[in-house]
Amino acid sequence: QRHLESSGGGSAQAGGSLTLSCAPNPYMYKNTYCMAWFRQAPGKEREGVASIYTGNDISYYADSVKGRFTISQDRRNNKVILQMNSLEVDDTATYYCASALTDCPHISGPSRWSQGVEVTVSS
């Protein structure tokens, strides 16, 4: 069983919205203090998008998505959600859920990854 399962994504027009969902393994979710979303666009390096401390919901965002993306926890269903609004063409990428970051505020140093989900934004 994969430790992290991501879902959602798809295609949207610029200005639209999409939602990504990450389902961590329940044991791992209980024992990780930071969850995050990363993305990798074609020809570019993987970058941190948003992170959240699982204990107190404090979250951090890359400058490129601040004010447009929201990371949150659905504790009832043991999921971490990335709500993406006001999408831009530059948001097109493969998105990955990640856990156990060594540096939550700077969205870096994850130890586990989900499979990628595709997000395509057209103009």
Side-chain angles (χ1 to χ4, degrees), residues 13-64:
Q13 290 203 311
S17 299
L18 287 170
T19 304
L20 304 182
S21 179
C22 177
N25 169 282
Y27 176 79
M28 192 196 70
Y29 196 19
K30 252 194 246 184
N31 291 282
T32 191
Y33 67 95
C34 180
M35 298 286 297
W37 286 95
F38 287 72
R39 69 184 181 187
Q40 187 166 20
K44 293 188 177 178
E45 291 189 358
R46 194 173 294 191
E47 63 170 346
V49 173
S51 61
I52 186 167
Y53 278 117
T54 56
N56 58 19
D57 289 323
I58 292 177
S59 56
Y60 303 89
Y61 297 92
D63 287 343
S64 57

Side-chain angles (χ1 to χ4, degrees), residues 39 64-65 68-69 86-93 95 119 121:
R39 69 184 181 187
S64 57
V65 305
R68 301 188 298 118
F69 289 13
S86 302
L87 283 163
E88 300 172 355
V89 173
D90 284 348
D91 294 322
T92 296
Y95 285 70
V119 170
V121 184

Side-chain angles (χ1 to χ4, degrees), residues 36-115:
W37 286 95
F38 287 72
R39 69 184 181 187
Q40 187 166 20
K44 293 188 177 178
E45 291 189 358
R46 194 173 294 191
E47 63 170 346
V49 173
S51 61
I52 186 167
Y53 278 117
T54 56
N56 58 19
D57 289 323
I58 292 177
S59 56
Y60 303 89
Y61 297 92
D63 287 343
S64 57
V65 305
K66 264 181 198 168
R68 301 188 298 118
F69 289 13
T70 303
I71 187 170
S72 63
Q73 298 185 87
D74 176 357
R75 287 190 172 84
R76 176 181 286 188
N77 295 301
N78 286 332
K79 289 187 177 179
V80 177
I81 307 297
L82 185 68
Q83 179 62 42
M84 306 184 294
N85 298 329
S86 302
L87 283 163
E88 300 172 355
V89 173
D90 284 348
D91 294 322
T92 296
T94 302
Y95 285 70
Y96 302 86
C97 176
S99 71
L101 277 66
T102 56
D103 188 345
C104 205
H106 293 100
I107 321 174
S108 66
S111 62
R112 292 193 185 277
W113 298 97
S114 71
Q115 83 283 15

